[in-house]
Amino acid sequence: QVQLEESGGGLVQAGGSLRLSCAASGSNFRINFMDWDRQAPVKQRELVASSTRGGSTNYADCVKGRFTISRDNTKNTVYLQMNSLKPEDTAVYYCRATTTLRQYWGKGSLVTVSS
């Protein structure tokens, strides 16, 4: 069983920055992928950024050049640095961890970007 604890959400003006963190604990299995998803009101959950254990990253087109995902494997922690935030980035952001057996999600962290 993996527990994911997210932090760092909040309210920010358009053009501002926020950094989300997600710490994983309790896993006896190697965590291969650590990703960030988000879900805006009345929209489906979507992948924002993903990272492999080896350091490869991938981003949704809408956040490329503005968001950066990074991880510390020694701490089982993943970060999402969000710059140049836009009102359309407003959503609940979920951390996701994938082991060889299954996926786990955090409870979510609300990010609100005001115009």
Side-chain angles (χ1 to χ4, degrees):
Q1 192 74 6
V2 175
Q3 293 80 44
L4 299 173
E5 184 172 352
E6 299 137 333
S7 61
L11 174 64
V12 65
Q13 288 188 332
S17 298
L18 282 175
R19 189 191 194 212
L20 301 179
S21 300
C22 172
S25 61
S27 175
N28 292 320
F29 300 95
R30 173 178 292 197
I31 296 177
N32 296 318
F33 298 92
M34 292 193 81
D35 311 320
W36 289 96
D37 299 329
R38 71 184 181 187
Q39 186 165 16
V42 303
K43 289 189 177 180
Q44 290 187 334
R45 191 173 296 191
E46 62 179 354
L47 173 68
V48 175
S50 63
S51 69
T52 70
R53 191 171 184 83
S56 297
T57 58
N58 190 40
Y59 298 92
D61 287 342
C62 57
V63 305
K64 280 181 181 177
R66 301 188 297 121
F67 290 11
T68 303
I69 188 170
S70 60
R71 63 190 280 180
D72 184 338
N73 290 328
T74 64
K75 298 180 180 179
N76 272 344
T77 299
V78 64
Y79 307 94
L80 185 68
Q81 178 66 44
M82 304 183 291
N83 299 329
S84 302
L85 282 160
K86 304 175 181 180
E88 51 263 44
D89 294 318
T90 295
V92 177
Y93 285 71
Y94 297 91
C95 176
R96 174 161 51 102
T98 304
T99 70
T100 54
L101 293 181
R102 56 164 289 184
Q103 292 183 331
Y104 300 86
W105 282 266
K107 293 181 179 180
S109 184
L110 178 62
V111 171
T112 304
V113 185
S114 63
S115 57

